[in-house]
Amino acid sequence: MSYRHFEVEEATVNIGAMVSGIDLTQPMSAEICEELKQALWRYQVLFFRDQALTPDSHVALAATMGEMETHEIFDHVEGYPAISIIQHDKDHKPNINFWHTDVTFRAKPSLASILHGVTVPDSGGDTLWLSQQAAYEGLSDSMKQIVLGLQAEHSGIAAYRGSQLLAEAGAGRAEALAAMTPSIHPVVVRHPFTGKPGLFVNPTFTTKLVGYKREEGKALLEMLYRHMQKPEYQVRFRWRNDSVAIWDNVATQHY
C-alpha cells in the first residue's frame, strides 16, 4: 500500500513496517497524522530510524494519537509525567521481559504507545511484538466460537506484587496500585477503528477466565498463549539510538 507523505516497507506478512521519509520531531498536519494512524492500524507496529525526539516533540507526537496517560509504576521524565522511563543496565536488571499488552489491568487500557530509544547498546535489548488479530484469525472456526463469548479478569496487583519495579516505585504509587480492582475484558475484542477481531489475553496481566474453574481456565489460557506466541505472528526490532516504535496496543502484545 502506498502513502502520500512517507514510505512504508512491510516487515512481515502479519505485523510490522519500517517507515521512512517523515520527521517525527516536527509538527505534522492533520492529513499526515491521519495517514500515519491508518498505517498503524494496518501494520499494528511502525518502526522509525534517526528520530531525535526531545521530550516536547515526544509529547507533541503522542498528542496526535489521543489523550496521554501517566503510568502507575514507572518513573517519568522530570516535568513530563506522560513520558515513562524504562532503564535497563547493570544496576537495573530487565523487569518487563514478559509477553504483555500494556495496562490491561485498567478498565480502559491504552490505545497506543510510543517508545523512543535514547541510549541503546550495540547488541541486545531487542523488542518483539505479536499480532493478536493474526493469532485470532489462525484459530480454527470451532475455537473462534468458543473464545468469542468469553471474558477474562486482568490484574496489575498480581503482576507487580513483589517485583523490583514496585519496590523502586515508592509507597505512594504502590498504594495507588494496591487500591485498584481487577478489570474484566472480553477474550476477543474488535478494534475500535478497523473492527477487526483480535485475542485480548496476555500471560502478564490476565489472571483467570470468568465463569470457568481454575484448572479449566488455566488450560485454555495456556493454549491461547502458546498459539499467540508462534513465530509467524511475530516481528522483532533491533534498536539503535533514536529509533522509535509506535504500536497499536489493542492489536498487539510485546516482549
Side-chain angles (χ1 to χ4, degrees), residues 49 88 94 97 117 119-128 236-241 255:
R49 299 290 192 195
H88 293 157
N97 280 350
T119 304
V120 180
D122 293 334
S123 62
D126 297 1
T127 305
L128 293 87
R236 183 172 185 143
F237 184 60
R238 184 169 184 176
W239 292 91
R240 302 174 192 160
N241 288 359
Y255 184 117

Side-chain angles (χ1 to χ4, degrees), residues 145-164:
Q145 291 304 311
I146 290 173
V147 298
L148 270 174
L150 301 182
Q151 292 185 314
E153 179 186 271
H154 297 247
S155 173
I157 301 170
Y160 290 123
R161 183 187 293 118
S163 71
Q164 178 187 358

Side-chain angles (χ1 to χ4, degrees), residues 72-75 92 95 157 159-175 177:
E72 289 81 357
I73 297 299
F74 290 123
D75 289 331
H92 302 83
N95 47 33
I157 301 170
Y160 290 123
R161 183 187 293 118
S163 71
Q164 178 187 358
L165 196 62
L166 186 57
E168 295 174 349
R173 276 177 286 174
E175 291 172 1
L177 185 68

Side-chain angles (χ1 to χ4, degrees), residues 173-228:
R173 276 177 286 174
E175 291 172 1
L177 185 68
M180 294 175 60
T181 57
S183 294
I184 304 296
H185 301 296
V187 170
V188 178
V189 300
R190 291 196 174 273
H191 194 276
F193 291 99
T194 67
K196 290 183 178 179
L199 293 169
F200 201 70
V201 290
N202 68 86
T204 297
F205 298 123
T206 304
T207 52
K208 65 180 182 180
L209 291 180
V210 176
Y212 275 69
K213 292 182 178 179
R214 176 186 170 91
E215 61 273 20
E216 294 171 341
K218 182 179 179 181
L220 183 50
L221 285 171
E222 288 181 349
M223 182 279 292
L224 291 174
Y225 299 152
R226 288 194 301 271
H227 170 73
M228 298 165 82

